[in-house]
Amino acid sequence: GAVVSQHPSWVICKSGTSVKIECRSLDFQATTMFWYRQFPKQSLMLMATSNEGSKATYEQGVEKDKFLINHASLTLSTLTVTSAHPEDSSFYICSAGFEEREAFFGQGTRLTVV
Amino acid sequence: GQNIDQPTEMTATEGAIVQINCTYQTSGFNGLFWYQQHAGEAPTFLSYNVLDGLEEKGRFSSFLSRSKGYSYLLLKELQMKDSASYLCAVKDSNYQLIWGAGTKLIIKP
């Protein structure tokens, strides 16, 4: 299957700083990538859809100025959590795939804001 | 609205069989997926159904009935490593994945 690589796998940052998470499709070109957030014991929550060469589409309730998404190439999307606060601590996962096939997930990033 | 329902938690015994049900109501249907997710890890793909019937893959099988908006994941010969959450997801008419809340499966010796 297709491979999606996410980096870093975990990060600890101070409150008020920004953190960038990268998501790469290693063996295919992804015009669309998806960013999810998952709190403990809860299911995946779609945050935004990242579109190559255009602005991301954010889900209702997700602050686009706080969660900056850039999809500069067909193999790379980045999520930057700006001015992070402890309530932003969560598991962030990206995925990519094809319309009629399964989604492939990155390894996930465990963000802890202290 | 769109929603997917699956039990929150199930318990089964090592070596036994367990069936995890999923019912869905979505705007359009372009396939149903089952994923396994261990705590602290990303989901991994298990199965895909787009036509009615049973798809078998080793110890895991998945069934779909589109007319009933129903699917199940069947796990046979349960092993301790099968303890995980199992996520049901449906692609709607826009090929957007709609996720269930997941079923936490606990395997006891």
Side-chain angles (χ1 to χ4, degrees):
Chain A
V3 179
V4 175
S5 177
Q6 186 174 341
H7 177 82
S9 56
W10 61 271
V11 59
I12 301 173
C13 71
K14 291 184 177 180
S15 186
T17 61
S18 295
V19 173
K20 179 186 283 190
I21 303 170
E22 293 187 348
C23 181
R24 294 180 184 273
S25 56
L26 298 185
D27 54 357
F28 68 103
Q29 294 182 331
T31 55
T32 304
M33 291 185 177
F34 302 90
W35 287 96
Y36 293 88
R37 181 167 54 183
Q38 186 177 35
F39 291 105
K41 299 183 180 181
Q42 295 186 23
S43 190
L44 301 169
M45 185 187 79
L46 180 65
M47 298 176 66
T49 302
S50 172
N51 305 297
E52 188 269 335
S54 65
K55 291 183 179 180
T57 305
Y58 290 82
E59 296 299 303
Q60 193 172 8
V62 178
E63 300 175 58
K64 62 180 181 180
D65 294 329
K66 180 171 183 61
F67 299 99
L68 301 179
I69 291 173
N70 184 277
H71 196 149
S73 76
L74 287 170
T75 59
L76 174 64
S77 175
T78 61
L79 168 67
T80 301
V81 183
T82 63
S83 186
H85 291 287
E87 57 265 31
D88 298 325
S89 298
S90 186
F91 191 49
Y92 293 85
I93 313 173
C94 70
S95 79
F98 310 97
E99 278 191 346
E100 297 180 355
R101 288 186 58 188
E102 68 272 26
F104 299 95
F105 288 87
Q107 300 93 324
T109 299
R110 173 74 58 194
L111 170 64
T112 302
V113 184
V114 298
Chain B
Q2 307 198 96
N3 68 280
I4 295 183
D5 292 315
Q6 50 182 132
T8 305
E9 187 174 297
M10 298 182 71
T11 302
T13 305
E14 189 177 16
I17 299 173
V18 71
Q19 177 176 310
I20 303 173
N21 295 324
C22 171
T23 57
Y24 63 90
Q25 290 177 309
T26 57
S27 55
F29 178 84
N30 279 301
L32 184 142
F33 302 81
W34 283 95
Y35 285 82
Q36 180 191 62
Q37 186 179 25
H38 285 99
E41 299 180 10
T44 55
F45 170 74
L46 289 178
S47 68
Y48 167 62
N49 294 70
V50 68
L51 299 176
D52 290 351
L54 187 68
E55 294 283 340
E56 297 185 79
K57 190 185 295 184
R59 293 189 299 115
F60 293 3
S61 303
S62 57
F63 171 83
L64 173 68
S65 169
R66 287 172 297 171
S67 63
K68 295 182 179 179
Y70 167 72
S71 172
Y72 67 73
L73 179 69
L74 191 71
L75 294 77
K76 303 177 183 177
E77 301 170 16
L78 287 170
Q79 302 174 9
M80 296 304 292
K81 67 179 183 179
D82 296 330
S83 292
S85 287
Y86 291 85
L87 307 175
C88 174
V90 171
K91 281 198 176 181
D92 64 12
S93 56
N94 296 319
Y95 292 95
Q96 179 165 337
L97 269 174
I98 311 300
W99 291 89
T103 298
K104 182 179 180 181
L105 178 62
I106 300 169
I107 309 296
K108 295 185 175 181

